[in-house]
């Protein structure tokens, strides 16, 4: 005889595997698309903004998962840490853009020392 709870546990396990596949397959495809995009980027500022976008998306996913997790504090902390990284990337992109400007009358050696 099979206990009554076993069939329910097997169905739940199959549902968990299906949900896991529904999450990980699109995530893997997104990573592949981003990797191809990164390889083809010729402008450094575009790469900065792409990294910023990826960080924001990951932080949103982590915040969403923290709402359903049994121990959400670590996920929420990591999501907030990712948003801090995003702020640092924005500052880096803006500083790089300013430093890459060509020389002008007021800055005959260029803007390369922007800090």
């Amino acid at each position: 005889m099979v206990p009554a709870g076993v069939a329910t546990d097997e169905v739940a396990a199959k549902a968990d595997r299906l949900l896991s596949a529904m999450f990980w397959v699109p995530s893997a495809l997104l990573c592949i698309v981003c990797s191809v995009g990164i390889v083809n980027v010729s402008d450094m500022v575009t790469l900065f903004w792409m990294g910023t976008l990826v960080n924001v998306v990951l932080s949103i996913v982590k915040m969403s998962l923290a709402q359903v997790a049994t121990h959400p504090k670590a996920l929420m902390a990591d999501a907030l840490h990712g948003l801090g990284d995003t702020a640092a990337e924005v500052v880096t992109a803006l500083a790089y853009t300013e430093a890459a400007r060509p020389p002008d009358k007021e800055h005959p050696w260029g803007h390369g020392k922007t800090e």
Side-chain angles (χ1 to χ4, degrees), residues 28-89:
L29 290 174
L30 180 64
C31 287
I32 291 169
V33 168
C34 286
S35 298
V36 170
I38 288 170
V39 169
N40 294 325
V41 168
S42 61
D43 183 25
M44 186 63 80
V45 176
T46 305
L47 191 59
F48 282 136
W49 292 119
M50 188 181 294
T52 301
L53 178 66
V54 169
N55 255 347
V56 168
V57 169
L58 285 174
S59 292
I60 291 171
V61 168
K62 289 175 186 177
M63 285 181 190
S64 300
L65 289 175
Q67 301 303 314
V68 297
T70 53
H71 301 288
K73 290 181 183 178
L75 273 173
M76 190 60 76
D78 198 40
L80 293 175
H81 182 256
L83 290 177
D85 289 345
T86 300
E89 286 177 358

